[in-house]
Short mmCIF file of all heavy atoms in Angstrom, two decimals:
data_model
loop_
_atom_site.label_atom_id
_atom_site.label_comp_id
_atom_site.label_asym_id
_atom_site.label_seq_id
_atom_site.Cartn_x
_atom_site.Cartn_y
_atom_site.Cartn_z
N MET A 1 45.00 -108.31 35.04
CA MET A 1 45.68 -107.09 35.39
C MET A 1 46.59 -106.71 34.22
O MET A 1 47.37 -107.52 33.74
CB MET A 1 46.48 -107.30 36.67
CG MET A 1 47.06 -106.04 37.23
SD MET A 1 47.86 -106.28 38.81
CE MET A 1 46.46 -106.50 39.88
N SER A 2 46.53 -105.48 33.80
CA SER A 2 47.31 -105.05 32.64
C SER A 2 48.74 -104.72 33.04
O SER A 2 49.08 -104.61 34.23
CB SER A 2 46.66 -103.83 32.00
OG SER A 2 46.82 -102.71 32.83
N LEU A 3 49.59 -104.57 32.05
CA LEU A 3 50.98 -104.21 32.31
C LEU A 3 51.10 -102.84 32.96
O LEU A 3 51.97 -102.62 33.80
CB LEU A 3 51.78 -104.24 31.00
CG LEU A 3 52.02 -105.62 30.40
CD1 LEU A 3 52.72 -105.49 29.05
CD2 LEU A 3 52.84 -106.47 31.34
N VAL A 4 50.22 -101.94 32.58
CA VAL A 4 50.25 -100.59 33.17
C VAL A 4 49.92 -100.66 34.66
O VAL A 4 50.59 -100.03 35.48
CB VAL A 4 49.26 -99.66 32.43
CG1 VAL A 4 49.14 -98.33 33.13
CG2 VAL A 4 49.70 -99.46 30.99
N GLU A 5 48.92 -101.45 35.01
CA GLU A 5 48.57 -101.59 36.42
C GLU A 5 49.70 -102.25 37.21
O GLU A 5 49.97 -101.86 38.35
CB GLU A 5 47.29 -102.41 36.56
CG GLU A 5 46.06 -101.66 36.10
CD GLU A 5 44.83 -102.55 36.05
OE1 GLU A 5 44.98 -103.78 35.87
OE2 GLU A 5 43.73 -102.02 36.19
N ASN A 6 50.36 -103.25 36.61
CA ASN A 6 51.50 -103.88 37.27
C ASN A 6 52.61 -102.86 37.53
O ASN A 6 53.20 -102.84 38.62
CB ASN A 6 52.06 -105.03 36.41
CG ASN A 6 51.35 -106.33 36.66
OD1 ASN A 6 50.59 -106.47 37.59
ND2 ASN A 6 51.60 -107.29 35.79
N GLU A 7 52.89 -102.03 36.56
CA GLU A 7 53.94 -101.03 36.73
C GLU A 7 53.56 -99.99 37.77
O GLU A 7 54.41 -99.51 38.53
CB GLU A 7 54.27 -100.36 35.39
CG GLU A 7 54.98 -101.28 34.42
CD GLU A 7 56.28 -101.86 34.95
OE1 GLU A 7 57.07 -101.11 35.56
OE2 GLU A 7 56.50 -103.06 34.77
N GLN A 8 52.28 -99.63 37.84
CA GLN A 8 51.84 -98.69 38.85
C GLN A 8 51.96 -99.27 40.25
O GLN A 8 52.34 -98.58 41.20
CB GLN A 8 50.40 -98.25 38.57
CG GLN A 8 50.28 -97.34 37.39
CD GLN A 8 48.83 -97.01 37.03
OE1 GLN A 8 47.91 -97.72 37.44
NE2 GLN A 8 48.65 -95.95 36.27
N ILE A 9 51.68 -100.56 40.38
CA ILE A 9 51.83 -101.23 41.67
C ILE A 9 53.30 -101.28 42.07
O ILE A 9 53.66 -101.03 43.22
CB ILE A 9 51.20 -102.63 41.63
CG1 ILE A 9 49.68 -102.51 41.57
CG2 ILE A 9 51.62 -103.46 42.84
CD1 ILE A 9 48.96 -103.82 41.37
N LYS A 10 54.17 -101.58 41.11
CA LYS A 10 55.60 -101.60 41.39
C LYS A 10 56.10 -100.22 41.81
O LYS A 10 56.92 -100.09 42.72
CB LYS A 10 56.38 -102.07 40.16
CG LYS A 10 56.23 -103.52 39.84
CD LYS A 10 57.03 -103.85 38.59
CE LYS A 10 56.76 -105.20 38.05
NZ LYS A 10 57.52 -105.46 36.81
N LEU A 11 55.60 -99.19 41.15
CA LEU A 11 55.99 -97.82 41.48
C LEU A 11 55.55 -97.45 42.89
O LEU A 11 56.31 -96.83 43.65
CB LEU A 11 55.39 -96.86 40.46
CG LEU A 11 55.83 -95.41 40.52
CD1 LEU A 11 57.32 -95.30 40.26
CD2 LEU A 11 55.07 -94.59 39.51
N LEU A 12 54.34 -97.83 43.26
CA LEU A 12 53.85 -97.58 44.62
C LEU A 12 54.70 -98.31 45.65
O LEU A 12 55.08 -97.74 46.68
CB LEU A 12 52.38 -98.00 44.74
CG LEU A 12 51.78 -97.91 46.14
CD1 LEU A 12 51.77 -96.48 46.64
CD2 LEU A 12 50.39 -98.51 46.14
N ALA A 13 55.01 -99.57 45.39
CA ALA A 13 55.82 -100.36 46.32
C ALA A 13 57.22 -99.75 46.46
O ALA A 13 57.76 -99.67 47.56
CB ALA A 13 55.92 -101.80 45.85
N ASN A 14 57.79 -99.29 45.36
CA ASN A 14 59.10 -98.65 45.43
C ASN A 14 59.05 -97.35 46.22
O ASN A 14 59.97 -97.05 46.99
CB ASN A 14 59.64 -98.37 44.02
CG ASN A 14 60.22 -99.61 43.39
OD1 ASN A 14 60.78 -100.45 44.06
ND2 ASN A 14 60.06 -99.72 42.08
N ALA A 15 57.99 -96.58 46.06
CA ALA A 15 57.85 -95.33 46.81
C ALA A 15 57.74 -95.61 48.31
O ALA A 15 58.35 -94.91 49.13
CB ALA A 15 56.64 -94.55 46.31
N LEU A 16 56.96 -96.62 48.67
CA LEU A 16 56.84 -96.98 50.09
C LEU A 16 58.17 -97.46 50.66
O LEU A 16 58.53 -97.11 51.78
CB LEU A 16 55.78 -98.07 50.26
CG LEU A 16 54.33 -97.63 50.07
CD1 LEU A 16 53.42 -98.85 50.02
CD2 LEU A 16 53.90 -96.69 51.15
N ASP A 17 58.91 -98.24 49.88
CA ASP A 17 60.20 -98.73 50.36
C ASP A 17 61.22 -97.60 50.48
O ASP A 17 62.00 -97.57 51.42
CB ASP A 17 60.71 -99.83 49.44
CG ASP A 17 61.81 -100.64 50.10
OD1 ASP A 17 61.65 -100.99 51.29
OD2 ASP A 17 62.83 -100.90 49.44
N ARG A 18 61.19 -96.67 49.55
CA ARG A 18 62.09 -95.51 49.66
C ARG A 18 61.73 -94.66 50.87
O ARG A 18 62.60 -94.11 51.55
CB ARG A 18 62.06 -94.67 48.39
CG ARG A 18 62.83 -95.29 47.25
CD ARG A 18 62.98 -94.34 46.08
NE ARG A 18 61.73 -93.78 45.59
CZ ARG A 18 60.97 -94.33 44.66
NH1 ARG A 18 61.34 -95.46 44.10
NH2 ARG A 18 59.87 -93.74 44.26
N ALA A 19 60.45 -94.53 51.16
CA ALA A 19 60.02 -93.79 52.35
C ALA A 19 60.50 -94.49 53.63
O ALA A 19 60.91 -93.82 54.58
CB ALA A 19 58.51 -93.64 52.37
N SER A 20 60.49 -95.82 53.64
CA SER A 20 60.97 -96.54 54.82
C SER A 20 62.48 -96.35 54.99
O SER A 20 62.96 -96.18 56.11
CB SER A 20 60.63 -98.03 54.73
OG SER A 20 61.43 -98.70 53.78
N THR A 21 63.21 -96.31 53.88
CA THR A 21 64.64 -96.06 53.95
C THR A 21 64.92 -94.65 54.45
O THR A 21 65.83 -94.43 55.26
CB THR A 21 65.29 -96.27 52.57
OG1 THR A 21 65.01 -97.59 52.13
CG2 THR A 21 66.78 -96.06 52.61
N ALA A 22 64.12 -93.69 54.01
CA ALA A 22 64.30 -92.31 54.47
C ALA A 22 64.00 -92.20 55.97
O ALA A 22 64.72 -91.50 56.69
CB ALA A 22 63.39 -91.39 53.68
N CYS A 23 62.97 -92.88 56.45
CA CYS A 23 62.66 -92.86 57.89
C CYS A 23 63.81 -93.44 58.70
O CYS A 23 64.18 -92.91 59.74
CB CYS A 23 61.39 -93.64 58.17
SG CYS A 23 59.91 -92.80 57.63
N PHE A 24 64.38 -94.53 58.22
CA PHE A 24 65.50 -95.14 58.91
C PHE A 24 66.70 -94.20 58.94
O PHE A 24 67.35 -94.01 59.97
CB PHE A 24 65.88 -96.47 58.24
CG PHE A 24 66.98 -97.20 58.94
CD1 PHE A 24 66.73 -97.95 60.07
CD2 PHE A 24 68.29 -97.13 58.48
CE1 PHE A 24 67.74 -98.63 60.72
CE2 PHE A 24 69.30 -97.79 59.12
CZ PHE A 24 69.03 -98.55 60.25
N THR A 25 66.96 -93.55 57.81
CA THR A 25 68.11 -92.66 57.73
C THR A 25 67.92 -91.43 58.60
O THR A 25 68.82 -91.05 59.35
CB THR A 25 68.34 -92.23 56.26
OG1 THR A 25 68.52 -93.40 55.47
CG2 THR A 25 69.54 -91.33 56.13
N VAL A 26 66.76 -90.81 58.51
CA VAL A 26 66.52 -89.58 59.28
C VAL A 26 66.41 -89.87 60.77
O VAL A 26 66.95 -89.12 61.59
CB VAL A 26 65.22 -88.90 58.77
CG1 VAL A 26 64.76 -87.82 59.72
CG2 VAL A 26 65.45 -88.33 57.39
N GLY A 27 65.75 -90.94 61.14
CA GLY A 27 65.48 -91.20 62.55
C GLY A 27 66.55 -91.96 63.29
O GLY A 27 66.63 -91.86 64.51
N ILE A 28 67.39 -92.71 62.59
CA ILE A 28 68.36 -93.54 63.28
C ILE A 28 69.80 -93.21 62.88
O ILE A 28 70.64 -92.92 63.73
CB ILE A 28 68.06 -95.03 63.06
CG1 ILE A 28 66.69 -95.34 63.69
CG2 ILE A 28 69.14 -95.92 63.64
CD1 ILE A 28 66.20 -96.72 63.50
N VAL A 29 70.09 -93.23 61.60
CA VAL A 29 71.47 -93.04 61.15
C VAL A 29 71.96 -91.62 61.42
O VAL A 29 73.08 -91.43 61.91
CB VAL A 29 71.60 -93.40 59.65
CG1 VAL A 29 72.99 -93.09 59.14
CG2 VAL A 29 71.26 -94.86 59.43
N THR A 30 71.13 -90.63 61.13
CA THR A 30 71.55 -89.24 61.32
C THR A 30 71.84 -88.91 62.78
O THR A 30 72.89 -88.31 63.07
CB THR A 30 70.50 -88.29 60.73
OG1 THR A 30 70.32 -88.61 59.35
CG2 THR A 30 70.93 -86.85 60.87
N PRO A 31 70.97 -89.26 63.74
CA PRO A 31 71.33 -88.97 65.14
C PRO A 31 72.57 -89.72 65.62
O PRO A 31 73.36 -89.17 66.39
CB PRO A 31 70.09 -89.42 65.93
CG PRO A 31 68.98 -89.38 64.96
CD PRO A 31 69.59 -89.73 63.64
N ILE A 32 72.75 -90.95 65.16
CA ILE A 32 73.96 -91.70 65.56
C ILE A 32 75.20 -91.01 65.01
O ILE A 32 76.21 -90.87 65.72
CB ILE A 32 73.86 -93.16 65.11
CG1 ILE A 32 72.81 -93.89 65.96
CG2 ILE A 32 75.22 -93.86 65.22
CD1 ILE A 32 72.53 -95.30 65.52
N ALA A 33 75.14 -90.55 63.77
CA ALA A 33 76.27 -89.81 63.20
C ALA A 33 76.50 -88.51 63.97
O ALA A 33 77.66 -88.11 64.19
CB ALA A 33 76.02 -89.52 61.72
N GLY A 34 75.44 -87.86 64.40
CA GLY A 34 75.57 -86.64 65.19
C GLY A 34 76.27 -86.89 66.51
O GLY A 34 77.10 -86.09 66.95
N VAL A 35 75.95 -88.00 67.16
CA VAL A 35 76.61 -88.35 68.42
C VAL A 35 78.08 -88.68 68.18
O VAL A 35 78.96 -88.24 68.92
CB VAL A 35 75.88 -89.52 69.10
CG1 VAL A 35 76.71 -90.08 70.25
CG2 VAL A 35 74.52 -89.09 69.59
N LEU A 36 78.35 -89.45 67.13
CA LEU A 36 79.73 -89.83 66.85
C LEU A 36 80.62 -88.63 66.54
O LEU A 36 81.80 -88.60 66.92
CB LEU A 36 79.78 -90.82 65.69
CG LEU A 36 79.25 -92.21 65.97
CD1 LEU A 36 79.26 -93.05 64.70
CD2 LEU A 36 80.07 -92.89 67.05
N TYR A 37 80.06 -87.63 65.86
CA TYR A 37 80.84 -86.46 65.49
C TYR A 37 80.64 -85.29 66.44
O TYR A 37 81.17 -84.21 66.22
CB TYR A 37 80.51 -86.03 64.05
CG TYR A 37 80.98 -87.03 63.04
CD1 TYR A 37 80.08 -87.79 62.32
CD2 TYR A 37 82.34 -87.22 62.80
CE1 TYR A 37 80.51 -88.72 61.40
CE2 TYR A 37 82.79 -88.15 61.88
CZ TYR A 37 81.86 -88.89 61.18
OH TYR A 37 82.30 -89.82 60.27
N GLY A 38 79.88 -85.48 67.49
CA GLY A 38 79.70 -84.45 68.51
C GLY A 38 78.79 -83.30 68.07
O GLY A 38 78.93 -82.19 68.55
N ILE A 39 77.88 -83.57 67.17
CA ILE A 39 76.95 -82.56 66.70
C ILE A 39 75.60 -82.79 67.37
O ILE A 39 75.12 -83.91 67.43
CB ILE A 39 76.79 -82.62 65.17
CG1 ILE A 39 78.14 -82.42 64.51
CG2 ILE A 39 75.79 -81.60 64.68
CD1 ILE A 39 78.14 -82.74 63.03
N GLY A 40 74.97 -81.76 67.86
CA GLY A 40 73.66 -81.90 68.49
C GLY A 40 73.79 -82.23 69.96
O GLY A 40 74.88 -82.30 70.53
N ASN A 41 72.66 -82.43 70.60
CA ASN A 41 72.65 -82.66 72.05
C ASN A 41 72.03 -84.01 72.42
O ASN A 41 71.38 -84.13 73.44
CB ASN A 41 71.90 -81.53 72.75
CG ASN A 41 70.46 -81.44 72.31
OD1 ASN A 41 70.05 -82.11 71.38
ND2 ASN A 41 69.69 -80.63 73.00
N PHE A 42 72.21 -85.02 71.61
CA PHE A 42 71.61 -86.32 71.89
C PHE A 42 72.21 -86.98 73.13
O PHE A 42 71.58 -87.79 73.77
CB PHE A 42 71.75 -87.26 70.69
CG PHE A 42 70.67 -87.07 69.67
CD1 PHE A 42 70.89 -86.30 68.54
CD2 PHE A 42 69.43 -87.62 69.85
CE1 PHE A 42 69.90 -86.10 67.62
CE2 PHE A 42 68.42 -87.43 68.93
CZ PHE A 42 68.66 -86.67 67.81
N ILE A 43 73.44 -86.62 73.47
CA ILE A 43 74.07 -87.22 74.64
C ILE A 43 73.38 -86.74 75.92
O ILE A 43 73.29 -87.46 76.90
CB ILE A 43 75.57 -86.89 74.66
CG1 ILE A 43 76.24 -87.56 73.46
CG2 ILE A 43 76.23 -87.33 75.94
CD1 ILE A 43 77.69 -87.20 73.27
N GLN A 44 72.83 -85.54 75.91
CA GLN A 44 72.19 -84.96 77.10
C GLN A 44 70.75 -85.43 77.28
O GLN A 44 70.15 -85.18 78.31
CB GLN A 44 72.22 -83.44 77.00
CG GLN A 44 73.62 -82.88 76.94
CD GLN A 44 73.62 -81.40 76.61
OE1 GLN A 44 72.57 -80.82 76.40
NE2 GLN A 44 74.79 -80.81 76.57
N ILE A 45 70.19 -86.10 76.30
CA ILE A 45 68.79 -86.53 76.36
C ILE A 45 68.69 -87.81 77.19
O ILE A 45 69.57 -88.65 77.17
CB ILE A 45 68.24 -86.74 74.93
CG1 ILE A 45 68.24 -85.42 74.18
CG2 ILE A 45 66.83 -87.32 74.97
CD1 ILE A 45 67.82 -85.54 72.74
N TYR A 46 67.59 -87.94 77.92
CA TYR A 46 67.36 -89.13 78.74
C TYR A 46 67.34 -90.39 77.88
O TYR A 46 66.82 -90.39 76.77
CB TYR A 46 66.05 -89.01 79.50
CG TYR A 46 66.04 -87.87 80.47
CD1 TYR A 46 65.23 -86.77 80.24
CD2 TYR A 46 66.84 -87.89 81.60
CE1 TYR A 46 65.22 -85.71 81.13
CE2 TYR A 46 66.85 -86.83 82.49
CZ TYR A 46 66.03 -85.74 82.24
OH TYR A 46 66.03 -84.70 83.11
N SER A 47 67.88 -91.46 78.40
CA SER A 47 68.01 -92.68 77.62
C SER A 47 66.66 -93.30 77.25
O SER A 47 66.52 -93.85 76.18
CB SER A 47 68.87 -93.70 78.37
OG SER A 47 68.23 -94.05 79.58
N TRP A 48 65.65 -93.20 78.12
CA TRP A 48 64.34 -93.78 77.78
C TRP A 48 63.68 -93.02 76.65
O TRP A 48 63.02 -93.60 75.81
CB TRP A 48 63.43 -93.83 79.01
CG TRP A 48 63.11 -92.47 79.57
CD1 TRP A 48 63.80 -91.82 80.55
CD2 TRP A 48 62.05 -91.60 79.17
NE1 TRP A 48 63.23 -90.59 80.79
CE2 TRP A 48 62.15 -90.43 79.95
CE3 TRP A 48 61.03 -91.69 78.24
CZ2 TRP A 48 61.27 -89.37 79.82
CZ3 TRP A 48 60.15 -90.63 78.10
CH2 TRP A 48 60.27 -89.49 78.89
N TRP A 49 63.88 -91.70 76.62
CA TRP A 49 63.31 -90.92 75.53
C TRP A 49 64.02 -91.24 74.23
O TRP A 49 63.39 -91.38 73.18
CB TRP A 49 63.43 -89.42 75.84
CG TRP A 49 62.69 -88.59 74.84
CD1 TRP A 49 61.40 -88.21 74.93
CD2 TRP A 49 63.18 -88.09 73.60
NE1 TRP A 49 61.05 -87.48 73.82
CE2 TRP A 49 62.13 -87.39 72.98
CE3 TRP A 49 64.40 -88.15 72.95
CZ2 TRP A 49 62.26 -86.77 71.75
CZ3 TRP A 49 64.53 -87.53 71.72
CH2 TRP A 49 63.47 -86.85 71.14
N LEU A 50 65.33 -91.35 74.28
CA LEU A 50 66.11 -91.67 73.09
C LEU A 50 65.77 -93.06 72.56
O LEU A 50 65.63 -93.25 71.35
CB LEU A 50 67.60 -91.56 73.39
CG LEU A 50 68.56 -91.57 72.22
CD1 LEU A 50 68.26 -90.42 71.28
CD2 LEU A 50 69.99 -91.49 72.71
N ALA A 51 65.58 -94.01 73.46
CA ALA A 51 65.21 -95.37 73.04
C ALA A 51 63.84 -95.38 72.38
O ALA A 51 63.64 -96.05 71.36
CB ALA A 51 65.24 -96.31 74.24
N SER A 52 62.89 -94.63 72.94
CA SER A 52 61.56 -94.60 72.32
C SER A 52 61.59 -93.84 70.99
O SER A 52 60.85 -94.17 70.07
CB SER A 52 60.54 -93.97 73.28
OG SER A 52 60.88 -92.63 73.56
N TYR A 53 62.45 -92.84 70.87
CA TYR A 53 62.63 -92.11 69.62
C TYR A 53 63.12 -93.06 68.52
O TYR A 53 62.56 -93.12 67.43
CB TYR A 53 63.62 -90.97 69.85
CG TYR A 53 64.04 -90.22 68.62
CD1 TYR A 53 63.25 -89.19 68.12
CD2 TYR A 53 65.22 -90.53 67.96
CE1 TYR A 53 63.63 -88.49 67.00
CE2 TYR A 53 65.61 -89.84 66.83
CZ TYR A 53 64.82 -88.81 66.36
OH TYR A 53 65.19 -88.14 65.24
N PHE A 54 64.17 -93.81 68.83
CA PHE A 54 64.71 -94.77 67.86
C PHE A 54 63.69 -95.86 67.54
O PHE A 54 63.52 -96.24 66.38
CB PHE A 54 65.99 -95.41 68.38
CG PHE A 54 67.19 -94.52 68.31
CD1 PHE A 54 68.15 -94.55 69.31
CD2 PHE A 54 67.38 -93.64 67.25
CE1 PHE A 54 69.26 -93.73 69.25
CE2 PHE A 54 68.49 -92.82 67.18
CZ PHE A 54 69.42 -92.86 68.18
N ALA A 55 63.00 -96.35 68.56
CA ALA A 55 62.00 -97.40 68.33
C ALA A 55 60.85 -96.91 67.46
O ALA A 55 60.37 -97.64 66.60
CB ALA A 55 61.47 -97.91 69.68
N GLY A 56 60.44 -95.67 67.65
CA GLY A 56 59.37 -95.11 66.85
C GLY A 56 59.76 -94.99 65.37
O GLY A 56 58.98 -95.38 64.49
N TRP A 57 60.94 -94.47 65.11
CA TRP A 57 61.40 -94.36 63.72
C TRP A 57 61.60 -95.73 63.09
O TRP A 57 61.27 -95.95 61.92
CB TRP A 57 62.69 -93.56 63.63
CG TRP A 57 62.46 -92.09 63.66
CD1 TRP A 57 62.69 -91.24 64.70
CD2 TRP A 57 61.95 -91.27 62.60
NE1 TRP A 57 62.35 -89.96 64.35
CE2 TRP A 57 61.90 -89.95 63.06
CE3 TRP A 57 61.53 -91.53 61.31
CZ2 TRP A 57 61.44 -88.90 62.28
CZ3 TRP A 57 61.08 -90.49 60.52
CH2 TRP A 57 61.03 -89.19 61.01
N LEU A 58 62.14 -96.67 63.87
CA LEU A 58 62.35 -98.02 63.35
C LEU A 58 61.02 -98.71 63.08
O LEU A 58 60.87 -99.40 62.06
CB LEU A 58 63.19 -98.84 64.33
CG LEU A 58 63.67 -100.19 63.85
CD1 LEU A 58 64.57 -100.03 62.62
CD2 LEU A 58 64.43 -100.90 64.95
N LEU A 59 60.05 -98.51 63.94
CA LEU A 59 58.72 -99.08 63.74
C LEU A 59 58.06 -98.50 62.49
O LEU A 59 57.48 -99.24 61.68
CB LEU A 59 57.84 -98.84 64.96
CG LEU A 59 56.42 -99.37 64.88
CD1 LEU A 59 56.43 -100.90 64.82
CD2 LEU A 59 55.62 -98.91 66.08
N LEU A 60 58.17 -97.19 62.31
CA LEU A 60 57.61 -96.56 61.12
C LEU A 60 58.27 -97.09 59.85
O LEU A 60 57.59 -97.40 58.86
CB LEU A 60 57.76 -95.04 61.20
CG LEU A 60 57.20 -94.24 60.04
CD1 LEU A 60 55.71 -94.49 59.87
CD2 LEU A 60 57.49 -92.76 60.25
N ALA A 61 59.59 -97.24 59.87
CA ALA A 61 60.30 -97.79 58.71
C ALA A 61 59.87 -99.22 58.43
O ALA A 61 59.65 -99.61 57.27
CB ALA A 61 61.80 -97.72 58.93
N ALA A 62 59.70 -100.02 59.48
CA ALA A 62 59.28 -101.41 59.30
C ALA A 62 57.85 -101.50 58.75
O ALA A 62 57.56 -102.35 57.89
CB ALA A 62 59.39 -102.16 60.62
N ILE A 63 56.98 -100.64 59.23
CA ILE A 63 55.60 -100.64 58.73
C ILE A 63 55.56 -100.27 57.26
O ILE A 63 54.89 -100.92 56.45
CB ILE A 63 54.72 -99.68 59.57
CG1 ILE A 63 54.48 -100.26 60.95
CG2 ILE A 63 53.40 -99.39 58.87
CD1 ILE A 63 53.83 -99.30 61.92
N LEU A 64 56.29 -99.24 56.87
CA LEU A 64 56.32 -98.84 55.46
C LEU A 64 56.92 -99.93 54.58
O LEU A 64 56.42 -100.20 53.48
CB LEU A 64 57.09 -97.53 55.30
CG LEU A 64 56.38 -96.28 55.80
CD1 LEU A 64 57.34 -95.10 55.82
CD2 LEU A 64 55.17 -95.98 54.96
N HIS A 65 57.96 -100.57 55.07
CA HIS A 65 58.58 -101.65 54.29
C HIS A 65 57.63 -102.83 54.14
O HIS A 65 57.51 -103.41 53.05
CB HIS A 65 59.89 -102.09 54.95
CG HIS A 65 60.59 -103.16 54.20
ND1 HIS A 65 61.25 -102.92 53.02
CD2 HIS A 65 60.73 -104.49 54.44
CE1 HIS A 65 61.77 -104.05 52.57
NE2 HIS A 65 61.46 -105.02 53.42
N SER A 66 56.92 -103.17 55.20
CA SER A 66 55.97 -104.29 55.11
C SER A 66 54.79 -103.94 54.20
O SER A 66 54.26 -104.82 53.51
CB SER A 66 55.49 -104.72 56.49
OG SER A 66 54.74 -103.70 57.09
N LEU A 67 54.38 -102.67 54.19
CA LEU A 67 53.33 -102.26 53.26
C LEU A 67 53.81 -102.39 51.82
O LEU A 67 53.04 -102.79 50.94
CB LEU A 67 52.91 -100.82 53.54
CG LEU A 67 52.00 -100.60 54.73
CD1 LEU A 67 51.80 -99.10 54.97
CD2 LEU A 67 50.68 -101.28 54.54
N ALA A 68 55.07 -102.08 51.57
CA ALA A 68 55.62 -102.23 50.22
C ALA A 68 55.63 -103.71 49.82
O ALA A 68 55.27 -104.05 48.69
CB ALA A 68 57.03 -101.65 50.16
N ARG A 69 56.04 -104.57 50.74
CA ARG A 69 56.05 -106.00 50.43
C ARG A 69 54.64 -106.53 50.19
O ARG A 69 54.41 -107.33 49.29
CB ARG A 69 56.72 -106.78 51.56
CG ARG A 69 58.21 -106.55 51.63
CD ARG A 69 58.83 -107.29 52.79
NE ARG A 69 58.59 -108.71 52.72
CZ ARG A 69 59.42 -109.61 52.20
NH1 ARG A 69 60.57 -109.22 51.72
NH2 ARG A 69 59.11 -110.88 52.19
N ARG A 70 53.69 -106.07 50.99
CA ARG A 70 52.31 -106.51 50.82
C ARG A 70 51.74 -106.02 49.49
O ARG A 70 50.97 -106.71 48.84
CB ARG A 70 51.46 -106.00 51.98
CG ARG A 70 50.03 -106.46 51.89
CD ARG A 70 49.26 -106.02 53.08
NE ARG A 70 49.70 -106.84 54.21
CZ ARG A 70 49.10 -106.85 55.38
NH1 ARG A 70 48.06 -106.07 55.58
NH2 ARG A 70 49.54 -107.62 56.35
N THR A 71 52.13 -104.82 49.09
CA THR A 71 51.68 -104.29 47.81
C THR A 71 52.16 -105.15 46.66
O THR A 71 51.42 -105.41 45.71
CB THR A 71 52.19 -102.85 47.63
OG1 THR A 71 51.70 -102.05 48.71
CG2 THR A 71 51.73 -102.24 46.33
N LEU A 72 53.40 -105.62 46.74
CA LEU A 72 53.95 -106.44 45.67
C LEU A 72 53.36 -107.84 45.62
O LEU A 72 53.42 -108.50 44.57
CB LEU A 72 55.47 -106.54 45.79
CG LEU A 72 56.23 -105.29 45.40
CD1 LEU A 72 57.72 -105.48 45.64
CD2 LEU A 72 55.98 -104.94 43.95
N LYS A 73 52.78 -108.31 46.70
CA LYS A 73 52.19 -109.66 46.71
C LYS A 73 50.99 -109.74 45.76
O LYS A 73 50.61 -110.83 45.36
CB LYS A 73 51.80 -110.08 48.11
CG LYS A 73 52.97 -110.48 48.94
CD LYS A 73 52.53 -111.05 50.26
CE LYS A 73 53.75 -111.48 51.04
NZ LYS A 73 53.40 -112.06 52.32
N GLY A 74 50.40 -108.61 45.41
CA GLY A 74 49.26 -108.62 44.53
C GLY A 74 49.62 -108.82 43.06
O GLY A 74 48.74 -109.01 42.23
N LEU A 75 50.90 -108.79 42.74
CA LEU A 75 51.32 -108.95 41.35
C LEU A 75 51.32 -110.41 40.93
O LEU A 75 51.55 -111.30 41.74
CB LEU A 75 52.72 -108.38 41.15
CG LEU A 75 52.88 -106.88 41.28
CD1 LEU A 75 54.32 -106.49 41.11
CD2 LEU A 75 52.01 -106.18 40.26
N ARG A 76 51.11 -110.62 39.67
CA ARG A 76 51.16 -111.98 39.12
C ARG A 76 52.25 -112.04 38.08
O ARG A 76 52.47 -111.07 37.36
CB ARG A 76 49.83 -112.34 38.49
CG ARG A 76 48.72 -112.36 39.50
CD ARG A 76 47.44 -112.71 38.87
NE ARG A 76 46.38 -112.49 39.88
CZ ARG A 76 45.30 -113.17 39.91
NH1 ARG A 76 45.05 -114.08 39.02
NH2 ARG A 76 44.40 -112.93 40.83
N PRO A 77 52.92 -113.18 38.00
CA PRO A 77 54.02 -113.29 37.02
C PRO A 77 53.56 -113.26 35.59
O PRO A 77 52.48 -113.50 35.23
CB PRO A 77 54.68 -114.62 37.35
CG PRO A 77 53.77 -115.34 38.27
CD PRO A 77 52.77 -114.36 38.80
#
């Protein structure tokens, strides 16, 4: 594997990890901040829907992060 291919793999893994961080921020941190500051209507939403919303975003972030880790396993020192 050439150095260029190694760098391309690292770039892909970084992009996947950044996407997982964005999913976590958009799906979990932002609504929690909205509730804390009284912005939006998350307090009026049913708790089961809100729990599945958070679980879905967290699952998506975890999948993207694990894909990034799996991508990096293909590299050799």
